[in-house]
Amino acid sequence: MGALPRWTATNPGTAIRSLVRDMQSELDRLTDTADELEAAFRDVGTDPAGGDQFEVLAGPEEQARWYVRLQQEAKEEVLTFDRPPYVLDYHNPLQTELLRNGVRYRTLYVPEAFEHAGALDEVGSLIRAGEEARILPWLPFKMALVDRSRAVMPLHMDPPLTRGVLIRGSTMVVALVELFERLWREALPVLPELWSQGSPELAPEGDPEAGLGLEDRRVLALLAAGLKDDAIARQLGTSPRSLRRRLRHLLDELNAETRFQAGAQASRRGLV
């Protein structure tokens, strides 16, 4: 039999600095990729060799029209970077219909996507319908990519979104798919049981010995997603003061001094 593994304590400061260096290295690589894509997008519509692979879309209405059209023509999969600003209302009944018809949807969200009223209910309904969702603290741009062959995205992120681009079957689409897959691996999964129950008032705090209930876990999930207190309170239909009391309860329950520690403990326990 082999020797049993031996564990030794590590200075927490050293461990955290090492983790930060690893995360910064990955962010640097992603930033380099985003810079390359941005440089390519600046040339869209000016390169005569580009043929019909790129089509500049003037105005938010044209971008919205193509976003709807690409979804309607989807056969297998829709990949989305979801972040503000928006050219359509956040409610997307077309997605629910396509999910029922077997089209796979994978969506990467940023915390700002959940700040408008009703966002939690909307994401919950999409998850119930079959959407796979994950969250990142930041996305370089927004896009919808259909069947790994066509993509639509704005050419800038300052509202209003006056110019966009439709990309067809080029190496740029391959690069966008690779970027999506890389970010998908890094993102925080959205657990269906925490996001698909609507957004009722926070349940009363139970017996501390009984562990964390569903509402506690939902609060932790929203914290881990990067939402601020006001946004969490708005999504859960409670007041900021009530939410702060619940957060204090969660810190005590998880034996944590800070939100970061609470998130780490919740992750270790498989709560978020």
Side-chain angles (χ1 to χ4, degrees):
M1 295 180 63
L4 293 174
R6 300 183 63 184
W7 303 90
T8 58
T10 299
N11 184 300
T14 301
I16 291 174
R17 282 191 289 272
S18 176
L19 177 62
V20 169
R21 283 195 297 270
D22 291 342
M23 294 175 66
Q24 185 61 54
S25 177
E26 181 64 23
L27 286 173
D28 289 342
R29 287 195 294 272
L30 293 176
T31 300
D32 291 341
T33 303
D35 290 343
E36 293 169 8
L37 290 171
E38 184 180 11
F41 295 150
R42 282 197 296 267
D43 295 333
V44 169
T46 62
D47 182 4
D52 61 355
Q53 293 180 342
F54 301 98
E55 179 180 341
V56 175
L57 308 177
E61 295 81 8
E62 186 72 359
Q63 294 174 64
R65 185 177 70 83
W66 269 104
Y67 175 59
V68 172
R69 177 176 171 178
L70 289 185
Q71 288 185 91
Q72 291 172 330
E73 296 174 353
K75 303 299 183 184
E76 297 180 2
E77 184 177 51
V78 178
L79 309 177
T80 305
F81 285 171
D82 189 309
R83 55 163 289 185
Y86 297 102
V87 295
L88 288 172
D89 183 80
Y90 64 85
H91 183 62
N92 185 6
L94 179 60
Q95 178 175 339
T96 303
E97 177 183 347
L98 289 169
L99 283 165
R100 293 196 192 102
N101 292 336
V103 176
R104 185 186 186 190
Y105 271 78
R106 286 192 289 157
T107 304
L108 281 168
Y109 294 96
V110 295
E112 292 79 11
F114 302 103
E115 291 186 352
H116 57 265
L120 192 60
D121 287 337
E122 176 66 16
V123 173
S125 68
L126 292 175
I127 290 174
R128 285 196 299 275
E131 179 185 85
E132 301 168 56
R134 297 188 179 185
I135 302 173
L136 279 174
W138 171 83
L139 287 170
F141 43 79
K142 60 187 300 171
M143 72 167 182
L145 201 159
V146 173
D147 293 338
R148 303 185 175 229
S149 63
R150 291 178 295 171
V152 62
M153 59 191 302
L155 283 171
H156 61 87
M157 293 304 300
D158 298 322
L161 300 177
T162 55
R163 297 180 75 236
V165 62
L166 172 67
I167 309 172
R168 299 183 180 92
S170 70
T171 54
M172 184 63 68
V173 174
V174 176
L176 289 171
V177 171
E178 175 60 28
L179 178 62
F180 180 93
E181 296 293 357
R182 185 185 299 184
L183 291 174
W184 182 260
R185 291 191 294 269
E186 297 294 325
L188 174 72
V190 176
L191 299 180
E193 66 269 24
L194 302 184
W195 291 70
S196 58
Q197 302 296 322
S199 54
E201 286 280 341
L202 286 177
E205 297 176 10
D207 181 358
E209 299 301 323
L212 299 179
L214 175 62
E215 289 302 323
D216 291 319
R217 295 177 62 199
R218 294 181 74 196
V219 171
L220 286 171
L222 293 169
L223 279 176
L227 271 69
K228 298 178 182 178
D229 288 0
D230 288 348
I232 295 174
R234 184 162 55 249
Q235 295 303 322
L236 296 178
T238 189
S239 69
R241 176 178 293 183
S242 296
L243 177 66
R244 284 191 290 270
R245 287 200 301 267
R246 178 55 62 97
L247 290 177
R248 184 66 263 171
H249 161 71
L250 289 175
L251 291 175
D252 292 341
E253 183 71 20
L254 293 167
N255 194 27
E257 294 294 332
T258 66
R259 293 185 180 202
F260 178 82
Q261 292 174 351
Q265 289 282 3
S267 178
R268 291 192 195 100
R269 297 187 189 184
L271 299 173
V272 297

